[in-house]
Amino acid sequence: APIIIMAAFSKSIPHGCYEIGHTWSTSCTTSAFQVTVGAFQESLKIYAPLYIIAAILRRRKLDYYVHKLLPEILQSTSFLTANGGFYIMFFCILRKLLGKFYIWSAGFGAALPASYLAILIERKSR
């Protein structure tokens, strides 16, 4: 069984970044930028209402709304944005470094460093 698993992980996928990861653009740089912008927009839609509702339910004082709410929203938004942007960047970087995709490189290989870097951005309490 271990030999079968090793054989499965060593199989390559004979396609490029454009064919698998960013079919809307042939450029890795353009695609990474577009994914990052889209991730920022969607992250803001998620985190702004979430933090505002949480602040209302926790009955935060005016000082929180004036000084802390926006930085907290932007920090969490940056976390999710970085995760999306770094994923597509590492997706393309690994493809270029390895010369092709492998089963592990298109998913786990790109997600691990992207998630690690994104976690460094998120608030410590989260």
Side-chain angles (χ1 to χ4, degrees), residues 25-46:
S25 173
T26 57
S27 167
C28 291
T29 307
T30 300
S31 298
F33 177 76
Q34 291 171 337
V35 167
T36 303
V37 169
F40 177 79
Q41 293 169 339
E42 295 305 315
S43 299
L44 201 55
K45 288 179 193 176
I46 293 167

Side-chain angles (χ1 to χ4, degrees), residues 16 36-37 42-43 46 48 53-55 59 72 78 89 117 126:
T36 303
V37 169
E42 295 305 315
S43 299
I46 293 167
I53 291 168
R59 298 181 182 176
E72 286 182 4
S78 297
M89 287 180 216
L117 291 174
R126 302 204 28 117

